[in-house]
Amino acid sequence: MAEIRVTMEVGSDGVALITITNPPVNALHPKIIAGLKETYTEAMNRPDVKAIVLTGNGGKFSGGFDINVFKQIHQTGNLSLLPDVSVELVVNIMEDAKKPSVAAIQGLALGGGLEIAMGCHARISTPDAQLGLPELTLGVIPGFGGTQRLPRLVGLAKATEMMLLSKPIRAKEGKQYGLIDELVSPADILRVSRQWALDIAEGRKPWLSSLRRTDKLGSLAEAREILKAARQQVKRQFPNMPQHQACLDSIEEGVVAGGYAGVLKEAKLFKELVLSDTSKGLVHVFLAQRATSKVPNVTDRGLKPRQIKKIAVIGGGLMGSGIATACILNNISVVLKEVDPKFLERGIKMISGNLEGLVKKGSLTQDRAKKTLSLLKGVLDYSDFKDVDMVIEAVIEKIPLKQSIFADLEKVCPPHCILATNTSTIDLNIVGEKTRSQDRVIGAHFFSPAHVMPLLEIVRTEKTSPQVIIDLMTVGKIIKKVPVVVGNCTGFAVNRTFFPYTQGSHLLVHLGVDVFRVDRAITNFGMPMGPFQLQDVAGYGVAMAVKSIYAEAFKGRLFQSDLVELMVQNGRQGKANGKGYYIYEKGSKPRPDPTVQAVIEESRKRSNVLRGGKAITVSDQDIVEMIFFPVVNEACRVMDEGVVSKASDLDISSVLGMGFPKYRGGLVFWADTVGANYIYSKLSKWAEIYGGFFTPCSYLEERAKKGLPLSSMSISSSQASRARL
C-alpha cells in the first residue's frame, strides 16, 4: 500500500511546498487532514518560510474527502470520526494565517479538495483540471466551507448550479468565473505558484480571503430571488433529497448573516445529513459501483486484457444499433451485419440518428459525429468477420436462430474472437450448445437504449474463460459502461430479479386497483416511471417473447394473465404506435388513456382472481410492497444460488439497469432497511390469500428467523461447485 502522507520542502526563495500524497486521487483521509494541520502549523512557526504553495502528488490536486470514512460513520454512528476541517484547518490555520497560501491545481480538485483550495489566497491551475463540489451525490453538502466560498468566488447563480447539479467545470471556465486566478502549463505550475505566493507575501498582489468577499453576491433582494428559484427547481427535480434544500439553507445563512455564520451552519447541517438514510444509500451505491471491478477467480488472477480493435454486431434493430453506437463513440470499429439491404439501411439510419441526437444536445460536434460514423461498416455476409476480435449477437429472442448464428460464427471468426450474445433471458448454454468454442461464449447484456443506459451485465457460463471475462469487462469500461459479472440462468441477475415487478403490478390491477394509481405510487417511491408506462416504452414484443421462457423456468411462482396479448389484439403497441395504457403524442407528455379500461376489464374477467367481483382496498405503501417484496424475494433466490458473487452487485444493477432509486441504496440495501422479518411476514400473509406468487423462499425465511441482513451472503460449497461465479 502506498504511504498516506503530507510533506513539506522549503526552498531558498522562502516558499514552503506542501504536498498531499494518497494515491490514486490524493483523497483527504483523516491522516492527510492531521498532516496538513501539523505541516501548516510548522510552516507558520518557521522564520525561513514567507509563503506556502499547496499541491497534490502525481499530477492530481485532490479528489476530496475519503468516502470510506463515511462508510465507517454509517456503520458505527460515530461522528467523532469526522475531523474538524472547516473551522480548525481551512478558516483558522489556512485562511486566517499570517502567511499566504496558493493552491497549485492539476488534474482535479473535487469536493473537499476544491474547498481546501478555496481556503487558499489564490488558485493557479492547468487549463484542463476538473473543479467541482459533487457532495450532494453522496447525500451530504460541502462540509469544508464550500457552500460559502464558491458563491463568493463565482457568483451565486453559478455556485448553486455547480452544487445542486454536482456539475464540475474545467479550470478554463473557472478562470472566466473568478475561481482560478491564473492558467499555466503543468511544466510551469509550481514556478508560477511560488512566485504568486511571494508576490502576495511581499504586497505586490492582493491578499484575498474568499470567505470575507461579498462583491459577487449581489444585493440581498437579488440573492433571495436566485435562492427562491433554486428551491423551486429542487422541489421539482429532487423531491426526495433532503441535502438539496439543506445546501440552499446553508448558502442563505451565509448571504444573510455573513460567511463565518454560514460556515457554522454548514458544519451543523453536514453532521445531520451524514447520518441520514439518503447518505447511507448513496454512499453504498458509490462503493458498490467501485466493487464491481473485483470478481472472484477472475480479476485476482493477474490476467492482462487483450486489445479489442474491431467488433462485429449482428442485428441492426434497437439493441444492435445502440450497441454499435456505444462502440463507435469510443473509437472501436464496428461491422454491422443484417440479413437484407432494407434492414441494414434501417440499422445504419438508427445509428446515424443516435449520433445526430447527441449533436443536437451539444455533447458531440458535427465534425466528430462524421468521424465517428466512418468507423461503421454495414455488411450482408460474414466476409468481414475474419479479423474481428469480438462479435455481439443482438437478434430477436429465438433459440434456433441464435444457435445457427453461433455455429456460423465459430467457422468464420478467428480463433481468439469472443462470441457474445445480447440475449436478455435465454440460458447461454443453450445459445452456445452447437459450438465447440464454449470457453469463448459469453453474455453481453445491454439495457435499452444501449448507447445511453450505463449497465452492462456480463454473463458467464461454467465454461467461459476468465480471459474472455476480463476482455469484456475492459471493453465495457472503454465504452463507458459499468460491467457487472453474473452467473448463467434464465433472465440472469437483473431481468430474473425483476420479472415479478411486472407481474406484481398486473396482479394488483387484476385485484381491482387502478392501473394509473399503481404507476403513481411507484413513481412517488422514486422509480423513473411506473410499471405500466415502462411496458409501453419497452414495447410489447419483448414481453410476448419472454413470457413462455419465464413460465417454463419459474413454474408455480408466477402470476399469469392475458393482459399483454389483449393489449396487442386491441391495437396497442405502447409508445411505438402512440397507444398503450397511455397516449403518446409528439411534443407532449404521455397521458393516461381511459379507454384502456375495457381491455383491463376483459383480462380481469378471464383471470378470475377478484373474489366476489369486489376490488381490494390498499394504501400506496401496500402497492409499493406488493410490487417490490416479490422482487426482493427473487433477489434472495439469485443470491442463494450464487448467480451474483455479492449482494452489492444486485444493488448497483437495480439502480443502473432498472432505475431503482439510487438514494435508497439499491434493492437489497433498501430491503435490509425495511427488514427481512417484515418482508417475510408480509409475503407469508399474501401467499395465504393469493397463492404461490408471494411464497417466501428459504433464504429469506432463514434470515428473517435469525435476524440477519439479506445482504449477508454465504455461498455453500455445493453452490460454489456449480461454478456460476
Side-chain angles (χ1 to χ4, degrees):
M1 273 247 329
E3 199 187 336
I4 298 175
R5 64 187 193 280
V6 175
T7 53
M8 179 169 73
E9 282 175 55
V10 181
S12 56
D13 55 0
V15 176
L17 178 68
I18 295 179
T19 306
I20 298 166
T21 302
N22 182 12
V25 294
N26 299 323
L28 301 172
H29 184 278
K31 273 189 191 170
I32 295 287
I33 303 296
L36 283 170
K37 287 176 182 174
E38 204 177 292
T39 316
Y40 255 88
T41 305
E42 188 192 333
M44 292 306 145
N45 291 330
R46 277 179 63 161
D48 58 336
V49 173
K50 296 179 192 171
I52 293 160
V53 167
L54 178 64
T55 194
N57 198 6
K60 290 187 176 79
F61 186 77
S62 171
F65 190 63
D66 189 334
I67 290 165
N68 291 305
V69 177
F70 288 159
K71 193 182 173 186
Q72 289 172 310
I73 293 165
H74 293 158
Q75 285 167 344
T76 60
N78 181 5
L79 279 171
S80 70
L81 293 167
L82 278 176
D84 183 350
V85 182
S86 187
V87 176
E88 195 186 333
L89 174 63
V90 187
V91 175
N92 297 347
I93 297 178
M94 292 172 67
E95 197 169 39
D96 290 354
K98 293 189 166 51
K99 296 171 186 179
S101 291
V102 170
I105 300 168
Q106 287 190 71
L108 45 78
L110 296 172
L114 180 59
E115 292 180 279
I116 279 179
M118 291 191 290
C120 294
H121 303 96
R123 285 149 296 285
I124 314 299
S125 179
T126 53
D128 287 327
Q130 240 194 341
L131 316 169
L133 296 178
E135 283 88 344
L136 276 75
T137 60
L138 297 171
V140 292
I141 60 173
F144 302 165
T147 62
Q148 305 308 310
R149 290 187 183 85
L150 192 62
R152 285 166 167 75
L153 287 166
V154 303
L156 199 53
K158 185 65 185 172
T160 52
E161 179 199 320
M162 283 176 70
M163 285 186 269
L164 295 177
L165 302 179
S166 297
K167 203 173 169 185
I169 58 172
R170 295 278 171 204
K172 265 186 283 217
E173 197 185 337
K175 171 82 166 70
Q176 291 162 13
Y177 280 104
L179 180 55
I180 297 299
D181 296 283
E182 183 88 54
L183 294 173
V184 294
S185 69
D188 291 332
I189 190 152
L190 290 180
R191 180 183 60 76
V192 172
S193 299
R194 296 181 90 100
Q195 189 54 53
W196 200 288
L198 281 173
D199 285 351
I200 296 173
E202 291 164 4
R204 291 185 293 275
K205 279 195 168 45
W207 188 314
L208 297 172
S209 156
S210 308
L211 197 60
R212 289 181 179 81
R213 285 179 63 175
T214 54
D215 53 306
K216 294 226 178 152
L217 292 179
S219 72
L220 195 54
E222 286 167 341
R224 286 213 156 110
E225 274 307 303
I226 291 169
L227 291 169
K228 187 181 165 189
R231 285 190 193 281
Q232 285 164 348
Q233 182 195 354
V234 161
K235 231 179 207 155
R236 277 193 314 274
Q237 257 181 295
F238 309 101
N240 298 318
M241 303 272 210
Q243 70 272 32
H244 290 74
Q245 293 291 359
C247 183
L248 292 169
D249 291 346
S250 181
I251 294 169
E252 188 160 7
E253 178 78 10
V255 169
V256 174
Y260 192 69
V263 162
L264 297 178
K265 171 93 168 181
E266 178 195 88
K268 179 179 172 288
L269 290 171
F270 182 89
K271 282 185 173 164
E272 288 166 14
L273 287 164
V274 82
L275 289 173
S276 68
D277 287 345
T278 308
S279 178
K280 288 173 186 171
L282 289 167
V283 167
H284 175 74
V285 168
F286 180 90
L287 295 170
Q289 184 165 329
R290 272 192 185 173
T292 57
S293 58
K294 291 187 172 63
V295 183
N297 302 322
V298 175
T299 55
D300 46 11
R301 289 184 169 202
L303 295 167
K304 294 273 179 287
R306 298 173 295 184
Q307 218 181 353
I308 308 286
K309 290 181 186 164
K310 189 173 173 185
I311 289 178
V313 176
I314 300 179
L318 189 65
M319 286 307 286
S321 59
I323 294 165
T325 306
C327 293
I328 60 175
L329 273 171
N330 293 286
N331 289 323
I332 297 174
S333 298
V334 171
V335 176
L336 180 72
K337 182 186 177 300
E338 258 298 0
V339 288
D340 69 30
K342 192 175 78 180
F343 285 143
L344 184 60
E345 190 188 345
R346 189 191 66 177
I348 291 170
K349 215 170 168 180
M350 281 165 91
I351 294 164
S352 194
N354 291 340
L355 298 178
E356 276 308 310
L358 294 170
V359 171
K360 273 184 194 146
K361 275 187 193 160
S363 47
L364 200 64
T365 63
Q366 197 69 57
D367 187 45
R368 170 90 204 280
K370 207 171 158 188
K371 280 188 184 134
T372 300
L373 202 56
S374 71
L375 292 169
L376 178 74
K377 182 180 182 183
V379 300
L380 296 167
D381 59 31
Y382 287 119
S383 52
D384 279 270
F385 280 50
K386 58 185 180 295
D387 61 344
V388 297
D389 302 306
M390 182 188 295
V391 179
I392 302 172
E393 165 274 307
V395 303
I396 53 173
E397 297 284 72
K398 288 198 173 157
I399 290 169
L401 176 61
K402 289 182 187 284
Q403 287 180 332
S404 76
I405 287 170
F406 270 72
D408 290 342
L409 291 176
E410 193 174 33
K411 293 175 201 140
V412 297
C413 297
H416 73 277
C417 178
I418 296 166
L419 309 177
T421 171
N422 176 57
T423 178
S424 55
T425 45
I426 304 167
D427 186 318
L428 258 65
N429 290 325
I430 298 169
V431 174
E433 205 170 55
K434 303 206 164 142
T435 72
R436 292 182 308 283
S437 309
Q438 286 171 10
D439 59 329
R440 292 192 276 150
V441 173
I442 194 163
H445 177 213
F446 290 80
F447 290 74
S448 186
H451 62 294
V452 177
M453 291 292 276
L455 183 65
L456 171 60
E457 198 176 24
I458 296 177
V459 188
R460 64 178 289 186
T461 71
E462 292 173 22
K463 292 176 180 163
T464 310
S465 92
Q467 182 65 57
V468 165
I469 299 166
I470 288 277
D471 294 343
L472 186 49
M473 285 175 78
T474 307
V475 169
K477 285 173 186 158
I478 290 168
I479 62 172
K480 300 182 175 59
K481 303 294 173 201
V482 176
V484 177
V485 178
V486 302
N488 178 36
C489 62
T490 302
F492 319 128
V494 181
N495 283 352
R496 172 168 167 196
T497 297
F498 273 83
F499 87 84
Y501 177 70
T502 309
Q503 298 202 338
S505 57
H506 282 204
L507 175 56
L508 278 166
V509 165
H510 285 79
L511 290 168
V513 183
D514 174 60
V515 64
F516 304 113
R517 185 184 168 205
V518 170
D519 272 6
R520 278 196 307 276
I522 294 300
T523 50
N524 289 341
F525 174 76
M527 294 295 279
M529 61 181 77
F532 293 99
Q533 194 186 339
L534 179 66
Q535 180 89 81
D536 275 355
V537 171
Y540 288 74
V542 175
M544 303 266 278
V546 302
K547 188 176 176 182
S548 59
I549 296 168
Y550 284 144
E552 183 58 35
F554 307 125
K555 285 189 181 107
R557 59 176 202 266
L558 294 100
F559 169 70
Q560 290 184 289
S561 74
D562 294 337
L563 185 54
V564 173
E565 288 85 344
L566 287 168
M567 290 289 284
V568 174
Q569 283 166 28
N570 198 255
R572 294 172 187 270
Q573 296 282 354
K575 198 177 176 185
N577 73 344
K579 195 175 180 187
Y581 297 100
Y582 296 79
I583 293 166
Y584 299 84
E585 283 167 353
K586 214 170 181 178
S588 59
K589 279 183 176 172
R591 60 179 201 276
D593 182 0
T595 67
V596 78
Q597 207 52 43
V599 184
I600 291 167
E601 287 302 340
E602 174 59 27
S603 192
R604 275 179 188 157
K605 205 160 74 192
R606 290 189 188 187
S607 72
N608 197 26
V609 292
L610 252 186
R611 310 270 164 91
K614 194 173 180 298
I616 62 165
T617 306
V618 284
S619 67
D620 280 7
Q621 185 180 331
D622 293 331
I623 292 173
V624 168
E625 291 177 356
M626 286 177 88
I627 288 174
F628 276 111
F629 287 2
V631 177
V632 170
N633 197 26
E634 199 58 40
C636 288
R637 289 189 179 97
V638 164
M639 291 187 286
D640 194 28
E641 292 171 23
V643 177
V644 289
S645 61
K646 50 194 176 297
S648 65
D649 284 351
L650 270 183
D651 286 327
I652 196 70
S653 300
S654 67
V655 168
L656 300 181
M658 295 305 297
F660 192 86
K662 200 176 186 175
Y663 58 87
R664 294 191 189 277
L667 181 71
V668 185
F669 185 90
W670 168 73
D672 275 336
T673 64
V674 175
N677 196 35
Y678 179 77
I679 296 170
Y680 173 72
S681 66
K682 283 286 191 147
L683 286 169
S684 302
K685 185 181 106 186
W686 297 327
E688 279 176 36
I689 306 168
Y690 307 113
F693 175 68
F694 288 111
T695 305
C697 68
S698 56
Y699 180 100
L700 174 58
E701 182 178 9
E702 184 192 0
R703 273 145 189 78
K705 288 181 174 167
K706 289 183 178 172
L708 293 168
L710 296 174
S711 54
S712 65
M713 284 174 63
S714 50
I715 297 175
S716 69
S717 55
S718 66
Q719 287 150 2
S721 71
R722 288 183 214 167
R724 283 227 168 105
L725 277 172

